[in-house]
Amino acid sequence: MGNLMMILVIRADSRLHTPMYFFLSHLSFLDLCFSSVTVPKMLESLLSQRKTISVEGCLAQVFFVFITGGTEACLLSVMAYDRYAAICHPLLYGQMISKDRCEQFVWGSWGLGFLDAFVNVSLAMKMDFCDTPTIPHYSCELPSLFPLSCSDVSTNLIVMFCSIIPHGLVTSLSIFFSYTCIVSTILSISSTSSRSRAFSTCSSHLTTVILFYGSSFLRYLMPTSGSSLELIFSVWYGVVTPMLNPLIYSLKNKEVKAAVRRTLEKYLQCFWWQKKERG
């Protein structure tokens, strides 16, 4: 509901039709998809006695986790570049972040996420599973499936690391370099109010980056053992982070709070006038 509200508010308020909020609306859509991939089945399993999922259903879940997770990693790096352009090169911002380039960034993020998913799940479909394996997890994730396979998964492991590590490293390093330049620029600003305003525009995105990257890196790089830490990290980046993102951006962003207020007032006025006309 939080992500859906964020998408509707950004679309409804013309003052938020800027590149920053264009990317934020896509992040909210991604978070909505990300949590929708695992949470419904997770809730069903928690509430029912038979906690089962077909192999096809499990691989489909893995596929969409890869797409949404990989796309979100790319989009977070794009949003960091957007903040870098706005703070470090304000006069060139219109050229660096044009409308066409924004769309290219978003479609490129989806393309890389799909490529990762296609390569890894295509190989995973060739795995054989012994009898009726039990997944020591709340959802289907590729690292949890490898120990359950009767076939050789060395190629799958190599491909997974060769696709995830460069993807994760490139996006995380681009975020790191963007924020290195941003911090350097902000510290050179003499005005305290301008400095705090510049920091506030980045704090929400930086919080989201730390929550997402911290938990997902720990989940995919630690050895699969079925420990409680694996479950915590997986639930954190797959469920908690998508739920917290709209709160982080709405509570720490004055423009979003003002837009929510304007949108609510507009719809309440429409509702009041309709009620008055009927009365």
Side-chain angles (χ1 to χ4, degrees), residues 2-3 5-7 9-10 16 19-29 31 72 75-83 175 179 199-213 241-260:
N3 284 300
M5 182 203 71
M6 189 70 72
I7 294 167
V9 166
I10 291 170
L16 299 184
M20 175 182 170
Y21 294 105
F22 172 77
F23 294 134
L24 180 54
S25 65
H26 279 276
L27 180 67
S28 296
F29 177 72
D31 284 334
E72 183 155 342
L75 191 61
L76 288 172
S77 67
V78 168
M79 292 174 76
Y81 175 73
D82 171 70
R83 292 299 82 212
I175 291 170
Y179 273 101
F199 267 122
S200 68
T201 61
C202 301
S203 59
S204 300
H205 177 256
L206 198 54
T207 305
T208 301
V209 166
I210 292 168
L211 290 174
F212 178 80
Y213 273 90
T241 301
M243 182 182 67
L244 289 179
N245 280 349
L247 290 173
I248 292 167
Y249 277 98
S250 59
L251 294 176
K252 299 186 74 174
N253 191 308
K254 292 179 182 178
E255 290 181 345
V256 172
K257 285 192 282 189
V260 171

Side-chain angles (χ1 to χ4, degrees), residues 8-19 21-22 255 259 262-263 266:
L8 294 174
V9 166
I10 291 170
R11 286 185 65 86
D13 198 306
S14 58
R15 298 183 198 185
L16 299 184
H17 292 176
T18 62
Y21 294 105
F22 172 77
E255 290 181 345
R262 287 193 298 268
T263 304
K266 183 171 71 175

Side-chain angles (χ1 to χ4, degrees), residues 131-184:
D131 301 326
T132 52
T134 302
I135 303 171
H137 214 285
Y138 294 127
S139 61
C140 289
E141 291 190 18
L142 203 53
S144 301
L145 300 183
F146 292 151
L148 309 178
S149 176
C150 300
S151 52
D152 181 25
V153 295
S154 56
T155 305
N156 301 71
L157 280 166
I158 292 167
V159 169
M160 187 184 76
F161 283 117
C162 286
S163 62
I164 289 176
I165 291 177
H167 191 144
L169 281 178
V170 169
T171 53
S172 58
L173 285 175
S174 66
I175 291 170
F176 175 77
F177 286 123
S178 294
Y179 273 101
T180 301
C181 297
I182 287 168
V183 171
S184 176

Side-chain angles (χ1 to χ4, degrees), residues 71-105:
T71 305
E72 183 155 342
C74 291
L75 191 61
L76 288 172
S77 67
V78 168
M79 292 174 76
Y81 175 73
D82 171 70
R83 292 299 82 212
Y84 160 78
I87 293 170
C88 300
H89 303 283
L91 298 178
L92 299 174
Y93 182 73
Q95 296 175 17
M96 295 172 71
I97 310 290
S98 62
K99 184 179 178 181
D100 290 340
R101 191 162 290 181
C102 287
E103 292 177 356
Q104 288 168 6
F105 281 143

